[in-house]
Amino acid sequence: MSSNSITINGNELTFEPGETILEVARRHSIDIPTLCHLKNTTPTGSCRICVVEVKGARSLLASCATPASGNMVVLTESAKVVDARKQIIQLLLSSGNHNCAVRGGSSDNWTQFQLNVQKDDQSQELCPVWGDCRLQDLAYRYQVNGDAFAPTPTRYAIETVNPFIVRDFSRCIQCGRCVQACNEIQVNNAINFGYRGPESKIVAAGDRPLKDSECVFCGECVQVCPVGALVEKDVRYQVRPWETAPVKTTCSYCGVGCQLYLHVKDNRVVKVTGVDAPPNNGSLCVKGRFGFNFIHSEDRLTTPLIKENGAFRSASWDEALNLVANKLGEIKAAHGPDSIGVLTSARVTNEDNYVANKFTRAVLRTNNIDHCARL
Amino acid sequence: MTNTIADVEEADVILITGSNTTENHPVISTFVKRAVSFKGARLIVVDPRRVKIASFAHQYLRPNLGTDVAWINGMMHVIIQENLYDKKFVEDRTVGFDELKRVVEKYTPEYVEEITGIPAKSLKDAARMYAGAKSAAILYCMGITQHTTGTDNVKSLANLSMLCGNLGIPGGGVNPLRGQNNVQGACDMGGLPDVYSGYQKVIDAEARKKMETAWGVTGLPEKPGLKVTEMIPKAHSGELKALYIIGENPLVSDPDLNHAEKSIGNLDFLVVQDIFMTETAKTADVILPSKCFAEKDGTFSNTERRVQRVRKAVDPPGDIWDDWKITCEIATRMGFPMTYETSEAILQEIGQVTPSYAGITYDRIDSIGIHWPCPNEQHPGTPILHTEKFPIGKGVFFGIEFIPPAEKVDADYPLYLTTGRVIYQYHTGTMTMKTDGLNDRAPECFVEISPKDARQFDLANGSAVTVASRRGQIEAKIQISEKAVEGTVFIPFHFARAAANRLTNAALDPVSKIPEYKVCAVRLAKAA
């Protein structure tokens, strides 16, 4: 063995200096579950789901925060590791309103529990992220439920006063991914841990609602939340993940060109998430994540319109296009091509713009074409 | 951008000027903030408003509005005088250094302080910081370009970057941040009066011949056409008779709106193609409804020249068409048949006539976009421009003198006005104002004013004021803010009901014909 090799589950692997056990394992397709770990941010080791057994170490070590070192021998799914993970998941499940199938419990227990949650939630539904929850996935994987410990009461009420984002502290598992996302990825520095011990809570601006803080509603925290603590306001209880299909496209606002998924349900865009690829690597801004109601606005133009006596009336495509072609033809004939101008658009596609350029030059026979780059 | 967005995190020093980055390019601002917070980069912000990104800066310089050439010349003065410039780069890759040196000679930090208000010591510190970097990136936006000296401002930034050898290297460059999703692409595709796609000039006989062959026509016009800011006056004077406007709303976004309204009202025929009944569409003779981005297949080119896919996610509401299809149908009815089966077929034609896009296909950009120039299908694209040489061979230094803005404050109009956007709205608001949450965050127009100016004019926070310039007036609420600096107010231009562009000056940059949105003189009075 050499000084840059590590043995994970019996496989001898090489590592780069500074790599964590988790990074080496993932690079070699060895799955270690994580909750609090967030790519490109400082590991916090706070959830301890990623613990592994390292030969010679006195306790289990958080693989996300432990650098690989020479001749280390690691087990990622030993009985000790699995027991520890089970207990962590059981504790997390008992710590809030995790009302899905993995909550477990006898029917009496469940009924009372669900009634309590319904009161907090003001809804009769199961958890809003049912089916899209990292904690739920882990509970299935390790076959545990929330019965092992007595449920803890809800300490902080749901925050629904913000636009765009609902904060449900009862479902927060304090993994801190939102804090990392806000402070180390978006660097908006709007939220952090507040209070201590059992009182601990993610707070903004000295424990005020997001809308009264430095928060700019980029929604990075919602995207990284592994549970149902941070959910898009319009999506909550309206959309379940299995009802939607994502379509990858490019944002239509500023020139950054963020890659995003439009999540489509019944021919409507119901939710937007960032794609983990350049240029934005998963990040979006408030407009890119939440500003797409215009797509399905009642105010969209749906038919060609012709103005007559100062008022618009609907027209068929044929009528409208013939009118435009005839008028442009007449004006060109009477006053010359340079009496016509075209403003193409920084909003439409390259293909649309190329065709506008060709039309202006080859058909109208003028170079009077521009767009709002100057404005 | 000469460099990529990700490249910003490679810079040792970042100089941001005329860009309210956190509000207008929030995702790019994250790269800057991370570089500064976690990677040891140093940040210089030069902006007349104390914008949020300034709170991350090691050096914040506050120039008077419209004095950019002066402070940039001042920095170069210090860099040359203290021998901090990149002699090898200047010698190997540029011409005109002597002229530059001669012109910037008189821009001593003390002289620059008189013009810009930037303390001489701060200017020296910033110049040393910029010049001392192994790689330094410049990011700029409309605060640089929307001036009567916009072209001079950009050339000056290029001078500064070349002087320190920051072009063609990772973490360097001169990087304009494009404000609209496909403003890069609209330029690339020949949506400009003097060039075809790929910036092939209409005055170039060879380029015309090439397009004539490709399009099956003869006699393409060789005279460059009118820029948008020239079309409006020509409409006013009656020389321009018809306008075909695709997806733009000049009756909120143009400068000196009162004049623009009269001009557009003077047209014989106006066609507007849009997704909404905009202020401009209301004045049209014919409105043609088009698809929005979520209903289209195609490509956008972002600010770093990356050509990326746009994909149809939903059906449009009703029988509405792609913009290109509408245009093709008009062409066909004018006796010039234009038909394409798909948007992909159009990109293929673009590739055939546009060298910088020749290697870009839908297949190649399916999972990740490619930076043009990309001359063939084996080419990986060009993330960083000018690594070996400039397109014209050597980079040219221009010695540029400071020219003050077109309008100055006086006794009648004692405050400067500058305009821009806020994070929660976009341009003329036709898209963002359909989302309640965004309107909740940014419901209406406001006048951002410094606490001191508010006291001087006796204006309470939230009170209504009339803002008047020599061209028009609007009413809006006072917002006292530490962002504003004494003597200058800021108004966002999104809101048609209190359109900042009723106030702005249509004075143009002589080359780019960009209006001076960023400087005019106004007065405030309590609203009746």
Side-chain angles (χ1 to χ4, degrees):
Chain A
M1 296 217 3
S2 63
S3 61
N4 68 338
S5 83
I6 176 175
T7 305
I8 302 182
N9 300 345
N11 305 295
E12 194 182 321
L13 309 168
T14 55
F15 64 88
E16 304 288 327
E19 261 188 314
T20 61
I21 297 172
L22 178 69
E23 284 165 341
V24 182
R26 289 211 166 152
R27 198 157 48 74
H28 291 92
S29 304
I30 296 170
D31 180 35
I32 299 176
T34 55
L35 268 176
C36 70
H37 175 73
L38 185 61
K39 203 171 81 175
N40 297 330
T41 65
T42 316
T44 58
S46 71
C47 77
R48 301 196 55 83
I49 272 291
C50 71
V51 288
V52 292
E53 192 173 342
V54 177
K55 197 173 167 190
R58 280 188 306 163
S59 58
L60 299 177
L61 300 177
S63 62
C64 72
T66 308
S69 66
N71 304 326
M72 214 178 219
V73 178
V74 179
L75 294 172
T76 70
E77 293 281 339
S78 68
K80 250 171 103 178
V81 167
V82 169
D83 278 350
R85 287 188 190 146
K86 283 186 169 177
Q87 197 172 39
I88 293 164
I89 299 163
Q90 286 170 325
L91 280 164
L92 291 175
L93 283 173
S94 68
S95 74
N97 290 349
H98 302 291
N99 56 331
C100 66
V102 300
R103 176 61 182 70
S106 65
S107 58
D108 285 357
N109 260 341
W110 167 261
T111 306
Q112 191 52 51
F113 172 70
Q114 175 66 7
L115 285 171
N116 291 344
V117 175
Q118 287 181 5
K119 224 164 77 191
D120 287 345
D121 270 9
Q122 301 288 306
S123 163
Q124 308 216 337
E125 301 243 1
L126 290 179
C127 175
V129 297
W130 203 102
D132 185 20
C133 173
R134 192 83 189 107
L135 181 60
Q136 190 183 42
D137 294 347
L138 288 172
Y140 275 112
R141 173 164 165 179
Y142 289 99
Q143 288 293 298
V144 291
N145 61 36
D147 256 355
F149 302 98
T152 50
T154 298
R155 194 178 292 269
Y156 300 108
I158 293 186
E159 182 177 301
T160 56
V161 294
N162 306 303
F164 310 123
I165 298 173
V166 172
R167 299 168 84 195
D168 181 349
F169 301 99
S170 82
R171 291 189 170 94
C172 174
I173 57 170
Q174 314 248 346
C175 68
R177 276 166 72 95
C178 55
V179 173
Q180 297 295 91
C182 187
N183 294 282
E184 293 196 15
I185 294 180
Q186 287 271 347
V187 204
N188 286 326
N189 305 326
I191 54 173
N192 216 319
F193 283 94
Y195 309 108
R196 293 289 168 109
E199 315 261 304
S200 184
K201 179 191 183 189
I202 308 297
V203 298
D207 203 5
R208 290 181 179 80
L210 290 178
K211 71 182 181 63
D212 301 322
S213 76
E214 289 290 298
C215 174
V216 288
F217 296 95
C218 67
E220 188 96 23
C221 57
V222 178
Q223 185 159 321
V224 302
C225 180
V227 291
L230 294 166
V231 181
E232 298 93 342
K233 202 171 194 174
D234 287 349
V235 172
R236 206 163 188 266
Y237 297 129
Q238 304 301 311
V239 183
R240 297 288 181 175
W242 56 87
E243 300 171 329
T244 67
V247 177
K248 187 177 160 187
T249 190
T250 303
C251 182
S252 69
Y253 283 113
C254 82
V256 177
C258 292
Q259 297 297 289
L260 39 84
Y261 288 116
L262 300 178
H263 297 258
V264 179
K265 175 186 174 184
D266 301 334
N267 199 41
R268 290 180 76 84
V269 175
V270 290
K271 167 175 161 159
V272 178
T273 53
V275 178
D276 187 10
N280 51 310
N281 305 321
S283 294
L284 294 174
C285 77
V286 61
K287 296 184 288 286
R289 192 180 301 275
F290 298 113
F292 289 111
N293 290 14
F294 74 88
I295 298 170
H296 306 293
S297 163
E298 291 292 310
D299 298 339
R300 283 286 300 276
L301 295 169
T302 55
T303 173
L305 299 170
I306 293 174
K307 195 179 269 170
E308 267 176 8
N309 306 318
F312 286 111
R313 66 164 174 84
S314 314
S316 69
W317 275 110
D318 260 334
E319 186 189 9
L321 291 168
N322 284 336
L323 175 63
V324 172
N326 288 341
K327 283 294 278 187
L328 292 179
E330 280 168 26
I331 291 169
K332 183 180 162 193
H335 303 284
D338 288 342
S339 66
I340 305 175
V342 176
L343 293 184
T344 186
S345 178
R347 306 286 155 66
V348 304
T349 63
N350 286 326
E351 292 78 359
D352 294 327
N353 274 297
Y354 173 79
V355 166
N357 142 70
K358 182 172 173 180
F359 168 76
T360 307
R361 296 179 154 117
V363 183
L364 296 178
R365 296 303 177 110
T366 175
N367 286 316
N368 288 345
I369 179 169
D370 202 2
H371 67 283
C372 64
R374 290 163 228 278
L375 307 178
Chain B
M1 291 171 72
T2 59
N3 291 51
T4 67
I5 294 168
D7 205 46
V8 171
E9 279 190 271
E10 307 295 316
D12 295 312
V13 167
I14 302 167
L15 167 61
I16 297 183
T17 181
S19 157
N20 182 3
T21 326
T22 61
E23 297 208 54
N24 294 329
H25 297 88
V27 172
I28 288 186
S29 82
T30 67
F31 288 80
V32 176
K33 291 185 285 186
R34 285 195 301 267
V36 173
S37 302
F38 307 116
K39 300 198 169 173
R42 315 280 278 171
L43 176 64
I44 305 166
V45 172
V46 189
D47 201 288
R49 292 171 72 209
R50 205 176 285 112
V51 288
K52 190 164 184 183
I53 196 73
S55 68
F56 289 83
H58 299 87
Q59 303 265 356
Y60 167 58
L61 312 185
R62 195 273 165 182
N64 295 327
L65 288 185
T67 60
D68 298 295
V69 167
W71 67 258
I72 302 166
N73 278 351
M75 278 179 70
M76 292 191 286
H77 173 98
V78 174
I79 290 165
I80 293 172
Q81 204 197 27
E82 299 188 1
N83 228 357
L84 303 173
Y85 63 98
D86 185 336
K87 284 160 211 81
K88 183 162 166 44
F89 188 94
V90 168
E91 195 158 303
D92 294 351
R93 304 250 342 236
T94 69
V95 295
F97 176 71
D98 291 338
E99 189 205 339
L100 178 79
K101 192 174 169 186
R102 187 180 54 74
V103 170
V104 303
E105 182 111 48
K106 73 164 182 267
Y107 289 85
T108 62
E110 294 70 26
Y111 176 56
V112 170
E113 179 171 349
E114 277 172 42
I115 301 171
T116 64
I118 296 170
K121 182 178 180 310
S122 303
L123 188 82
K124 281 187 214 163
D125 288 346
R128 289 169 190 153
M129 184 180 278
Y130 179 84
K134 269 206 293 274
S135 61
I138 296 175
L139 308 185
Y140 72 90
C141 196
M142 294 307 218
I144 282 294
T145 55
Q146 287 179 338
H147 290 279
T148 44
T149 58
T151 307
D152 287 349
N153 293 347
V154 173
K155 281 182 175 167
S156 299
L157 289 176
N159 281 343
L160 177 62
S161 183
M162 289 196 298
L163 186 64
C164 296
N166 279 321
L167 281 164
I169 59 169
V174 179
N175 300 292
L177 307 183
R178 297 292 208 156
Q180 307 197 29
N181 58 327
N182 201 30
V183 67
Q184 182 67 55
C187 295
D188 297 346
M189 291 299 106
L192 293 170
D194 56 342
V195 288
Y196 302 111
S197 58
Y199 306 93
Q200 304 170 84
K201 289 183 163 51
V202 299
I203 54 166
D204 175 2
E206 218 168 287
R208 279 201 310 281
K209 182 88 200 103
K210 174 176 162 184
M211 293 301 167
E212 285 169 359
T213 309
W215 294 344
V217 295
T218 53
L220 285 178
E222 59 188 278
K223 190 181 82 178
L226 299 171
K227 300 184 175 77
V228 51
T229 43
E230 295 170 318
M231 288 185 202
I232 301 301
K234 294 265 184 197
H236 197 261
S237 67
E239 288 166 75
L240 195 78
K241 303 287 184 193
L243 254 183
Y244 172 26
I245 300 179
I246 301 169
E248 303 241 326
N249 189 12
L251 289 187
V252 178
S253 63
D254 269 20
D256 192 0
L257 273 185
N258 295 342
H259 179 264
E261 276 170 6
K262 274 185 224 141
S263 306
I264 287 188
N266 203 28
L267 290 166
D268 288 352
F269 190 60
L270 174 63
V271 187
V272 171
Q273 189 165 305
D274 211 300
I275 63 174
F276 287 116
M277 181 64 84
T278 62
E279 288 72 15
T280 308
K282 283 176 194 161
T283 68
D285 296 289
V286 181
I287 301 176
L288 303 172
S290 57
K291 289 182 186 172
C292 82
F293 87 110
E295 295 144 8
K296 281 181 175 180
D297 280 305
T299 54
F300 292 153
S301 300
N302 79 348
T303 188
E304 53 173 1
R305 297 167 285 103
R306 194 194 288 272
V307 185
Q308 307 192 104
R309 273 303 311 276
V310 176
R311 292 182 182 84
K312 176 179 185 282
V314 291
D315 295 325
D319 179 24
I320 58 180
W321 300 356
D322 278 291
D323 286 283
W324 59 260
K325 186 180 168 197
I326 302 171
T327 308
C328 283
E329 287 285 333
I330 298 171
T332 303
R333 283 154 211 261
M334 290 182 76
F336 185 93
M338 273 169 73
T339 49
Y340 298 94
E341 283 295 311
T342 58
S343 60
E344 190 171 9
I346 303 172
L347 188 74
Q348 282 161 6
E349 182 174 317
I350 292 168
Q352 284 157 15
V353 299
T354 317
S356 53
Y357 275 66
I360 294 172
T361 65
Y362 279 17
D363 276 349
R364 288 195 72 198
I365 60 171
D366 189 51
S367 63
I368 187 161
I370 294 176
H371 303 271
W372 68 256
C374 178
N376 60 62
E377 288 195 30
Q378 284 69 50
H379 194 282
T382 312
I384 303 180
L385 294 178
H386 318 313
T387 50
E388 306 284 323
K389 61 181 177 67
F390 295 101
I392 53 167
K394 290 204 171 189
V396 180
F397 283 113
F398 291 92
I400 296 166
E401 296 284 359
F402 164 69
I403 302 168
E407 192 166 86
K408 292 208 136 187
V409 291
D410 58 18
D412 291 337
Y413 298 95
L415 285 168
Y416 279 112
L417 165 68
T418 193
T419 64
R421 297 178 180 167
V422 299
I423 187 170
Y424 297 107
Q425 298 290 357
Y426 178 74
H427 227 62
T428 68
T430 53
M431 300 193 296
T432 45
M433 288 177 194
K434 304 295 189 291
T435 295
D436 292 341
L438 294 173
N439 293 334
D440 180 70
R441 300 303 289 165
E444 58 183 354
C445 192
F446 59 86
V447 183
E448 176 191 285
I449 188 168
S450 75
K452 194 173 159 198
D453 285 342
R455 272 197 304 278
Q456 193 193 325
F457 293 94
D458 189 26
L459 300 166
N461 201 26
S463 65
V465 286
T466 304
V467 190
S469 76
R470 291 184 173 84
R471 292 153 295 276
Q473 66 174 47
I474 62 169
E475 206 173 284
K477 281 186 188 155
I478 284 289
Q479 192 173 99
I480 297 174
S481 167
E482 295 291 340
K483 269 188 219 165
V485 185
E486 281 80 58
T488 300
V489 298
F490 165 84
I491 301 178
F493 70 86
H494 308 292
F495 302 93
R497 254 177 298 169
N501 284 323
R502 299 217 176 268
L503 309 170
T504 49
N505 191 356
L508 302 180
D509 178 275
V511 180
S512 70
K513 308 290 181 184
I514 288 183
E516 191 148 67
Y517 287 110
K518 298 300 185 198
V519 194
C520 73
V522 295
R523 66 169 169 243
L524 304 184
K526 285 181 187 169

Short mmCIF file of all heavy atoms in Angstrom, two decimals, chain B residues 31-59:
data_model
loop_
_atom_site.label_atom_id
_atom_site.label_comp_id
_atom_site.label_asym_id
_atom_site.label_seq_id
_atom_site.Cartn_x
_atom_site.Cartn_y
_atom_site.Cartn_z
N PHE B 31 -20.80 34.54 -8.15
CA PHE B 31 -19.42 34.18 -8.47
C PHE B 31 -18.46 35.22 -7.88
O PHE B 31 -17.40 34.89 -7.35
CB PHE B 31 -19.21 34.09 -9.99
CG PHE B 31 -19.86 32.88 -10.61
CD1 PHE B 31 -21.21 32.86 -10.89
CD2 PHE B 31 -19.11 31.75 -10.92
CE1 PHE B 31 -21.82 31.75 -11.46
CE2 PHE B 31 -19.70 30.62 -11.48
CZ PHE B 31 -21.05 30.62 -11.76
N VAL B 32 -18.86 36.48 -7.97
CA VAL B 32 -18.03 37.56 -7.44
C VAL B 32 -17.95 37.46 -5.92
O VAL B 32 -16.87 37.50 -5.32
CB VAL B 32 -18.60 38.94 -7.84
CG1 VAL B 32 -17.78 40.06 -7.20
CG2 VAL B 32 -18.64 39.09 -9.36
N LYS B 33 -19.12 37.29 -5.30
CA LYS B 33 -19.16 37.26 -3.83
C LYS B 33 -18.38 36.06 -3.28
O LYS B 33 -17.71 36.17 -2.26
CB LYS B 33 -20.61 37.24 -3.35
CG LYS B 33 -21.35 38.56 -3.64
CD LYS B 33 -22.76 38.58 -3.05
CE LYS B 33 -23.72 37.74 -3.84
NZ LYS B 33 -25.12 37.87 -3.35
N ARG B 34 -18.47 34.93 -3.98
CA ARG B 34 -17.70 33.76 -3.52
C ARG B 34 -16.20 34.00 -3.68
O ARG B 34 -15.40 33.66 -2.80
CB ARG B 34 -18.11 32.50 -4.30
CG ARG B 34 -19.45 31.94 -3.89
CD ARG B 34 -19.64 30.52 -4.43
NE ARG B 34 -19.56 30.47 -5.88
CZ ARG B 34 -20.61 30.55 -6.69
NH1 ARG B 34 -21.82 30.68 -6.20
NH2 ARG B 34 -20.45 30.48 -7.99
N ALA B 35 -15.83 34.58 -4.83
CA ALA B 35 -14.40 34.85 -5.07
C ALA B 35 -13.84 35.74 -3.96
O ALA B 35 -12.75 35.50 -3.44
CB ALA B 35 -14.20 35.51 -6.43
N VAL B 36 -14.63 36.74 -3.57
CA VAL B 36 -14.16 37.69 -2.56
C VAL B 36 -14.23 37.09 -1.16
O VAL B 36 -13.31 37.24 -0.36
CB VAL B 36 -15.02 38.98 -2.63
CG1 VAL B 36 -14.67 39.91 -1.48
CG2 VAL B 36 -14.81 39.67 -3.96
N SER B 37 -15.29 36.35 -0.88
CA SER B 37 -15.49 35.85 0.49
C SER B 37 -14.63 34.63 0.81
O SER B 37 -14.24 34.44 1.95
CB SER B 37 -16.95 35.49 0.71
OG SER B 37 -17.79 36.61 0.48
N PHE B 38 -14.40 33.78 -0.19
CA PHE B 38 -13.76 32.49 0.11
C PHE B 38 -12.47 32.22 -0.65
O PHE B 38 -11.77 31.28 -0.37
CB PHE B 38 -14.74 31.34 -0.17
CG PHE B 38 -16.05 31.52 0.54
CD1 PHE B 38 -17.23 31.68 -0.18
CD2 PHE B 38 -16.11 31.54 1.92
CE1 PHE B 38 -18.44 31.86 0.47
CE2 PHE B 38 -17.32 31.71 2.58
CZ PHE B 38 -18.49 31.88 1.85
N LYS B 39 -12.20 33.01 -1.71
CA LYS B 39 -11.03 32.67 -2.52
C LYS B 39 -9.97 33.75 -2.52
O LYS B 39 -9.06 33.73 -3.34
CB LYS B 39 -11.48 32.35 -3.95
CG LYS B 39 -12.45 31.18 -3.98
CD LYS B 39 -12.58 30.57 -5.34
CE LYS B 39 -13.35 29.25 -5.23
NZ LYS B 39 -13.64 28.67 -6.53
N GLY B 40 -10.15 34.73 -1.65
CA GLY B 40 -9.08 35.73 -1.51
C GLY B 40 -9.02 36.77 -2.60
O GLY B 40 -8.06 37.53 -2.65
N ALA B 41 -10.02 36.83 -3.49
CA ALA B 41 -9.99 37.87 -4.52
C ALA B 41 -10.24 39.23 -3.88
O ALA B 41 -10.91 39.34 -2.85
CB ALA B 41 -11.04 37.58 -5.59
N ARG B 42 -9.67 40.27 -4.49
CA ARG B 42 -9.90 41.64 -4.04
C ARG B 42 -10.89 42.29 -4.98
O ARG B 42 -10.85 42.05 -6.19
CB ARG B 42 -8.58 42.43 -4.05
CG ARG B 42 -7.41 41.67 -3.45
CD ARG B 42 -7.40 41.70 -1.95
NE ARG B 42 -6.81 42.94 -1.47
CZ ARG B 42 -6.84 43.30 -0.19
NH1 ARG B 42 -7.48 42.55 0.70
NH2 ARG B 42 -6.26 44.41 0.20
N LEU B 43 -11.77 43.09 -4.42
CA LEU B 43 -12.84 43.68 -5.23
C LEU B 43 -12.79 45.20 -5.19
O LEU B 43 -12.72 45.80 -4.11
CB LEU B 43 -14.21 43.20 -4.72
CG LEU B 43 -15.45 43.79 -5.40
CD1 LEU B 43 -15.51 43.40 -6.87
CD2 LEU B 43 -16.72 43.33 -4.68
N ILE B 44 -12.81 45.80 -6.37
CA ILE B 44 -12.92 47.27 -6.50
C ILE B 44 -14.28 47.55 -7.14
O ILE B 44 -14.59 46.99 -8.19
CB ILE B 44 -11.81 47.83 -7.41
CG1 ILE B 44 -10.42 47.41 -6.93
CG2 ILE B 44 -11.94 49.34 -7.53
CD1 ILE B 44 -9.31 47.64 -7.95
N VAL B 45 -15.08 48.37 -6.51
CA VAL B 45 -16.36 48.77 -7.11
C VAL B 45 -16.33 50.27 -7.34
O VAL B 45 -16.00 51.04 -6.44
CB VAL B 45 -17.55 48.39 -6.20
CG1 VAL B 45 -18.85 48.98 -6.74
CG2 VAL B 45 -17.67 46.87 -6.07
N VAL B 46 -16.63 50.64 -8.58
CA VAL B 46 -16.69 52.07 -8.92
C VAL B 46 -18.10 52.34 -9.42
O VAL B 46 -18.49 51.83 -10.48
CB VAL B 46 -15.66 52.43 -10.02
CG1 VAL B 46 -15.60 53.94 -10.19
CG2 VAL B 46 -14.29 51.87 -9.69
N ASP B 47 -18.87 53.05 -8.65
CA ASP B 47 -20.27 53.24 -9.02
C ASP B 47 -20.82 54.48 -8.32
O ASP B 47 -20.54 54.69 -7.14
CB ASP B 47 -21.09 52.01 -8.61
CG ASP B 47 -22.39 51.92 -9.41
OD1 ASP B 47 -23.31 52.73 -9.17
OD2 ASP B 47 -22.47 51.04 -10.28
N PRO B 48 -21.61 55.27 -9.03
CA PRO B 48 -22.18 56.46 -8.38
C PRO B 48 -23.18 56.12 -7.28
O PRO B 48 -23.44 56.95 -6.42
CB PRO B 48 -22.85 57.21 -9.53
CG PRO B 48 -22.93 56.26 -10.66
CD PRO B 48 -21.90 55.21 -10.45
N ARG B 49 -23.78 54.91 -7.33
CA ARG B 49 -24.66 54.50 -6.23
C ARG B 49 -23.89 53.52 -5.34
O ARG B 49 -23.12 52.70 -5.85
CB ARG B 49 -25.90 53.80 -6.76
CG ARG B 49 -26.85 54.69 -7.51
CD ARG B 49 -27.94 53.85 -8.17
NE ARG B 49 -28.90 53.31 -7.21
CZ ARG B 49 -29.57 52.17 -7.40
NH1 ARG B 49 -29.36 51.43 -8.46
NH2 ARG B 49 -30.44 51.77 -6.50
N ARG B 50 -24.19 53.57 -4.06
CA ARG B 50 -23.55 52.61 -3.17
C ARG B 50 -24.34 51.30 -3.25
O ARG B 50 -25.08 50.93 -2.34
CB ARG B 50 -23.51 53.15 -1.73
CG ARG B 50 -22.40 52.57 -0.90
CD ARG B 50 -22.32 53.21 0.49
NE ARG B 50 -21.76 54.54 0.49
CZ ARG B 50 -22.45 55.65 0.76
NH1 ARG B 50 -23.72 55.59 1.06
NH2 ARG B 50 -21.85 56.83 0.75
N VAL B 51 -24.21 50.62 -4.37
CA VAL B 51 -24.98 49.40 -4.62
C VAL B 51 -24.50 48.28 -3.70
O VAL B 51 -23.40 48.35 -3.15
CB VAL B 51 -24.88 48.97 -6.10
CG1 VAL B 51 -25.67 49.93 -6.98
CG2 VAL B 51 -23.42 48.90 -6.56
N LYS B 52 -25.31 47.25 -3.58
CA LYS B 52 -25.04 46.23 -2.58
C LYS B 52 -23.67 45.56 -2.77
O LYS B 52 -22.99 45.26 -1.79
CB LYS B 52 -26.14 45.17 -2.61
CG LYS B 52 -26.06 44.21 -1.46
CD LYS B 52 -27.35 43.46 -1.32
CE LYS B 52 -27.33 42.56 -0.10
NZ LYS B 52 -28.57 41.76 -0.02
N ILE B 53 -23.27 45.35 -4.01
CA ILE B 53 -21.99 44.67 -4.23
C ILE B 53 -20.84 45.50 -3.64
O ILE B 53 -19.79 44.96 -3.29
CB ILE B 53 -21.77 44.36 -5.74
CG1 ILE B 53 -20.67 43.31 -5.95
CG2 ILE B 53 -21.45 45.62 -6.54
CD1 ILE B 53 -21.04 41.92 -5.58
N ALA B 54 -21.07 46.80 -3.49
CA ALA B 54 -20.03 47.66 -2.89
C ALA B 54 -19.73 47.26 -1.45
O ALA B 54 -18.64 47.49 -0.94
CB ALA B 54 -20.44 49.13 -2.96
N SER B 55 -20.71 46.63 -0.79
CA SER B 55 -20.47 46.23 0.60
C SER B 55 -19.48 45.06 0.67
O SER B 55 -18.98 44.73 1.74
CB SER B 55 -21.78 45.87 1.30
OG SER B 55 -22.32 44.70 0.74
N PHE B 56 -19.21 44.41 -0.46
CA PHE B 56 -18.20 43.34 -0.49
C PHE B 56 -16.83 43.87 -0.93
O PHE B 56 -15.87 43.12 -0.98
CB PHE B 56 -18.64 42.23 -1.47
CG PHE B 56 -19.80 41.43 -0.97
CD1 PHE B 56 -21.10 41.87 -1.13
CD2 PHE B 56 -19.59 40.21 -0.33
CE1 PHE B 56 -22.17 41.12 -0.66
CE2 PHE B 56 -20.65 39.46 0.14
CZ PHE B 56 -21.95 39.92 -0.02
N ALA B 57 -16.78 45.15 -1.29
CA ALA B 57 -15.58 45.68 -1.93
C ALA B 57 -14.49 46.03 -0.92
O ALA B 57 -14.77 46.46 0.20
CB ALA B 57 -15.93 46.92 -2.75
N HIS B 58 -13.22 45.86 -1.35
CA HIS B 58 -12.10 46.36 -0.59
C HIS B 58 -11.88 47.84 -0.86
O HIS B 58 -11.34 48.56 -0.05
CB HIS B 58 -10.83 45.56 -0.93
CG HIS B 58 -10.97 44.10 -0.61
ND1 HIS B 58 -11.51 43.20 -1.50
CD2 HIS B 58 -10.68 43.40 0.51
CE1 HIS B 58 -11.53 42.00 -0.95
NE2 HIS B 58 -11.04 42.09 0.27
N GLN B 59 -12.27 48.25 -2.08
CA GLN B 59 -12.19 49.66 -2.46
C GLN B 59 -13.51 50.04 -3.10
O GLN B 59 -13.90 49.42 -4.10
CB GLN B 59 -11.10 49.87 -3.52
CG GLN B 59 -9.73 49.41 -3.13
CD GLN B 59 -8.90 50.54 -2.54
OE1 GLN B 59 -9.34 51.68 -2.50
NE2 GLN B 59 -7.72 50.21 -2.09
#
